[in-house]
Amino acid sequence: MNDLAIGLDSANGGHLYEQIYDYMKREIRKGKLLCGERLPSTRSLAEYLQVSRSTVDLAYGQLLSEGYIEARPCRGYYVCRIDDLFAMKELPEQTVMSQAEEEEVFPYDFSPHSVELGSFPFGTWKKITKNTLIDDRKEMFALGHPQGDPELRNTISRYLHASRGVNCTPEQIIIGAGNDYLLMLLEKILGKKYTAAVENPTYKRAYRILQSFSYDVKTIGMDLSGMRVDELECSGAELAYVMPSHQFPTGIVMPIGRRLELLRWAAEKEERYLIEDDYDSEFRYRGKPIPSLQASDTAGKVIYIGTFSKAIAPAIRISYMVLPERLLAEYRKHCTFFSSTVSRIDQSVLNEFIRDGAFERHLNKMRKIYKNRHDCLVTACRNMLHHVKISGENAGLHLLLHYQGERSEQELIRLAAQRGVKIYGMSDAYIGNLPESRKPTLILGYAGLSEERIEEGIRRLSDCI
Amino acid sequence: MNDLAIGLDSANGGHLYEQIYDYMKREIRKGKLLCGERLPSTRSLAEYLQVSRSTVDLAYGQLLSEGYIEARPCRGYYVCRIDDLFAMKELPEQTVMSQAEEEEVFPYDFSPHSVELGSFPFGTWKKITKNTLIDDRKEMFALGHPQGDPELRNTISRYLHASRGVNCTPEQIIIGAGNDYLLMLLEKILGKKYTAAVENPTYKRAYRILQSFSYDVKTIGMDLSGMRVDELECSGAELAYVMPSHQFPTGIVMPIGRRLELLRWAAEKEERYLIEDDYDSEFRYRGKPIPSLQASDTAGKVIYIGTFSKAIAPAIRISYMVLPERLLAEYRKHCTFFSSTVSRIDQSVLNEFIRDGAFERHLNKMRKIYKNRHDCLVTACRNMLHHVKISGENAGLHLLLHYQGERSEQELIRLAAQRGVKIYGMSDAYIGNLPESRKPTLILGYAGLSEERIEEGIRRLSDCI
């Protein structure tokens, strides 16, 4: 017992029992108290240390719980056999987040993925949130339905029908925290390894996600109507990822004929499906919105995916997926144990936001802002740039500049960067080899730039083009 | 032209151009206007219909965009070749969400997965949210870091170190919308098909998730220290899912010796890992918290997963995963394109909630509430029930009743249900065949029931036990 040099310090703030516990644990870890060694009884240790017996009881209890000592009935406490104790690692110093992760900031960044953040309807969102966080609605804090709250799904199904012609019941909708997550869930619902097809060029993120599923991913060429169905047929793919409303990056709107061809292809075999990413579909500046591909699907072949992140704010992680009946049955059979990924508070706020018309008002406001930026960009390009043709305009949040001059895409990007202008080459959207005889093509997004910035950006670009 | 019986109705609310567009689209879909047929020129149709030419332009423009007609230079507009038009489906009637999905409600439901919802700190959460939604913080509405906001990761790493002994930098943390999502992401990070091991009995949801990865999932028997490492060794598994702090459902706290054995097993091969689900670890009613398994890991073998959903509210979908260095490198190489699944607003609110001490206060309050319920349940069982032994107490949100009498688990559950009491049999947590000579064991969760309900529930249960 005299070996137990426990220096108790009743003034040091820690409980006495913790000091005893800490000391003994340390001694065991250091091998000073050996396996099988009998510890003093609680009574004798309490007397020795001049503390109450319950204090020693607490310390021994903790050591017991963590498996350092064991109690042998009628015999007392013994140090456990612990084969080789690893030393506890010390906490590494708090490292500051690496700033290198951040990219260089350009004053004139024509990123096609930017959006206008200043127009987020703070006031409305705040008011709805306040009304949502009310004490007597405590059911809202329980885990919700795995597909998302029925009220929000009901609202979304009506919104999708009215705005996109999507035909679905609320039961077919799954709400999830972003398109990436919904695709991961879809992988589980489909439940087998697919050969999948993407348009080429395409939205690289979607390509990478499909690849991460260890799917065999084929790239399919496009003509002016979009994905070529003859190539798709030959590819062996059974799942095709398409963006019919406004393809990224080409801006192609898939005509009804090609849509029906795709639907016919899908209807030929039971396991074939089309994933429709209805990307940017809220924004169309001429004419009525183009209906979704899902609207023309009578055979239950289209998996429709859309998001509120683009139209409201990227930080709001709420997307939706509409499953055809057959996949809904698969989901119900195999996947309902995956919990919903969206906070019910957020679901409730979004539901109110759509129902009381605030979403419609916000969309109208954003359409106007984006249309002005779009028109400003088109005019600036027409007036200031030579040797270029514009395509993919009138919808979405970016357009294409087809360059007819002598410089390469990389050269143009480099020259623009020297003037503080960031532009994006379409080459980056291609998978594999670039088509031969491709002319340099630039992707210009305008959603994140004011009209002044757009004009000045194009002015600077005109120096190098 | 006289065939074009477009009944324009300038009073019916729709734009004139939409009426023209609708009419023509319908005629094409019905096959009344045939492929290759030339349409009237915009000028002549405008004259015929007595509308402005720009109205007809708009209608034709929309038909062009959707691919119903095409423009042949210098010749006019022609109906496109559309091989077989599917009829648009009519929107099915809005079906009311099936109520059958809801389970029968028991007044005395001892579910181990319930939590107390009435104690959610509405006021604080509302106040922080209000301060977060401020107009000049518009960067908060942009898409955030894929791993989650650095500030919140910093806060979480400090919290985990202080409360669970977890050693990690903020860079090692990934924030995600729930444990299920983080496991799905982990599948992508690990990047290969694993043979995985789970304790038996275990938390079925985790088992199902691992199965959905098409992993080969082995079940490993447990002794009083938890997962048997000898069985694990023989199973061929390279990935083990464990709950060392308070195993579900047994309530076993894994002693340090077994922890080190597991860590040694993992250190033997490069691809071996342990997934530590630090489930319910916030709640411990005797002694100090048991440190995490990760705290003893010096070889970078533990993937640590925890959640705020249980401690704050299930509707708050925020979990975290701590990756060992080697897997962090894999994540950075292959998986950073997956966008964050948690709204930045929510991340910011949670960060404030932890930093200003509200989380600590909330936890202390919940620990007190749950400890009272725990003590009440233990006392009620000891006083009112015969032929039972209690185990797994002193931590978490449930305990086990080992029944020594003659009835079967199913009989007890049925009898209790007749008295409005829902209890859960441990058999359900087993995968595969039940061990022979198992005595009926009941899982009693107490977090969702008031002390009065607990007492009355046990009183009713005592009638059948």
Side-chain angles (χ1 to χ4, degrees), chain B residues 232-460:
Chain B
L232 175 62
E233 193 78 61
C234 298
S235 71
E238 306 286 20
L239 184 68
Y241 177 92
V242 289
M243 295 167 272
S245 300
H246 186 244
Q247 204 264 349
F248 186 89
T250 62
I252 289 174
V253 178
M254 192 184 284
I256 183 74
R258 182 59 54 87
R259 290 172 186 231
L260 295 178
E261 266 187 83
L262 271 180
L263 290 169
R264 212 159 44 237
W265 167 84
E268 271 165 21
K269 288 196 186 165
E270 198 183 351
E271 67 267 38
R272 284 188 182 168
Y273 289 102
L274 298 160
I275 302 174
E276 175 177 23
D277 181 352
D278 204 15
Y279 150 80
D280 271 0
S281 59
E282 298 86 356
F283 304 108
R284 196 167 163 74
Y285 314 116
R286 279 174 69 96
K288 291 167 31 125
I290 311 283
S292 65
L293 175 63
Q294 204 268 5
S296 303
D297 175 24
T298 50
K301 286 300 182 177
V302 174
I303 301 147
Y304 177 89
I305 295 182
T307 181
F308 291 103
S309 300
K310 201 99 188 201
I312 302 180
I316 307 289
R317 309 302 299 153
I318 310 185
S319 294
Y320 40 85
M321 172 161 71
V322 179
L323 293 176
E325 292 290 350
R326 195 171 142 249
L327 289 181
L328 181 62
E330 291 297 312
Y331 168 78
R332 289 194 169 149
K333 232 182 289 169
H334 305 298
C335 299
T336 48
F337 57 83
F338 287 108
S339 313
S340 170
T341 45
V342 185
S343 139
R344 286 186 86 182
I345 302 174
D346 294 355
Q347 292 188 55
S348 180
V349 171
L350 176 62
N351 189 40
E352 275 310 302
F353 188 72
I354 302 174
R355 282 216 188 159
D356 93 343
F359 181 53
E360 193 58 39
R361 288 193 297 277
H362 175 65
L363 271 186
N364 287 336
K365 179 173 150 193
M366 297 315 294
R367 279 191 195 109
K368 210 163 142 188
I369 291 174
Y370 289 149
K371 182 182 190 317
N372 289 342
R373 292 182 181 180
H374 166 272
D375 293 353
C376 167
L377 177 60
V378 170
T379 308
C381 289
R382 291 212 172 113
N383 292 344
M384 291 190 264
L385 302 182
H386 306 293
H387 315 300
V388 298
K389 280 206 312 195
I390 298 171
S391 79
E393 75 276 31
N394 296 332
L397 301 173
H398 75 275
L399 49 76
L400 296 184
L401 280 191
H402 303 273
Y403 175 70
Q404 320 280 319
E406 295 306 313
R407 300 191 197 279
S408 72
E409 243 176 61
Q410 280 315 310
E411 233 177 318
L412 292 171
I413 291 169
R414 196 175 45 76
L415 288 169
Q418 287 171 1
R419 289 164 178 75
V421 180
K422 184 151 189 189
I423 52 179
Y424 297 78
M426 191 152 101
S427 314
D428 287 341
Y430 278 95
I431 296 150
N433 295 331
L434 294 175
E436 279 175 37
S437 78
R438 242 193 93 251
K439 281 285 183 189
T441 308
L442 303 174
I443 303 175
L444 293 191
Y446 45 82
L449 292 173
S450 68
E451 291 169 48
E452 293 70 36
R453 292 254 169 175
I454 290 173
E455 276 181 12
E456 178 58 23
I458 298 302
R459 187 167 299 122
R460 290 177 180 222

Side-chain angles (χ1 to χ4, degrees), chain A residues 59-82:
Chain A
Y60 277 26
Q62 186 69 24
L63 291 165
L64 268 173
S65 311
E66 296 188 19
Y68 286 99
I69 64 174
E70 60 187 342
R72 298 185 192 163
C74 312
R75 295 181 52 202
Y77 294 96
Y78 290 80
V79 176
C80 281
R81 177 174 172 74
I82 298 170

Side-chain angles (χ1 to χ4, degrees), chain A residues 358-421:
Chain A
F359 181 54
E360 192 59 38
R361 289 193 296 278
H362 175 66
L363 271 186
N364 287 336
K365 178 174 152 194
M366 297 316 293
R367 279 190 196 111
K368 210 163 142 188
I369 292 174
Y370 290 149
K371 182 181 190 316
N372 289 342
R373 292 183 181 180
H374 165 272
D375 292 353
C376 167
L377 177 60
V378 171
T379 308
C381 289
R382 290 212 173 113
N383 292 344
M384 290 189 267
L385 302 181
H386 306 292
H387 314 302
V388 299
K389 279 205 314 192
I390 297 171
S391 77
E393 76 275 31
N394 297 330
L397 302 173
H398 76 276
L399 49 76
L400 296 184
L401 280 191
H402 304 271
Y403 175 69
Q404 320 279 318
E406 295 305 315
R407 300 191 196 279
S408 72
E409 245 176 58
Q410 280 315 310
E411 232 178 316
L412 292 171
I413 291 169
R414 197 175 42 75
L415 288 168
Q418 288 170 1
R419 288 163 179 78
V421 179

Side-chain angles (χ1 to χ4, degrees), chain A residues 15-26:
Chain A
H15 283 291
L16 288 176
Y17 95 86
E18 286 190 10
Q19 297 180 38
I20 302 171
Y21 155 81
D22 278 339
Y23 173 83
M24 292 215 155
K25 188 167 108 173
R26 217 161 39 234

Side-chain angles (χ1 to χ4, degrees), chain A residues 164 166 179 183 186 239-246 254 259 263 273-279 281 290-297 301-306 320-322:
Chain A
R164 312 287 311 118
V166 169
N179 289 16
L183 287 170
L186 180 61
L239 182 69
Y241 176 93
V242 290
M243 295 168 272
S245 301
H246 187 243
M254 191 183 285
R259 290 171 186 231
L263 289 169
Y273 288 102
L274 298 161
I275 301 174
E276 174 177 24
D277 182 351
D278 205 15
Y279 150 81
S281 60
I290 312 282
S292 66
L293 175 62
Q294 202 269 6
S296 304
D297 175 23
K301 286 301 182 176
V302 174
I303 300 147
Y304 177 89
I305 295 182
Y320 40 86
M321 171 161 73
V322 179

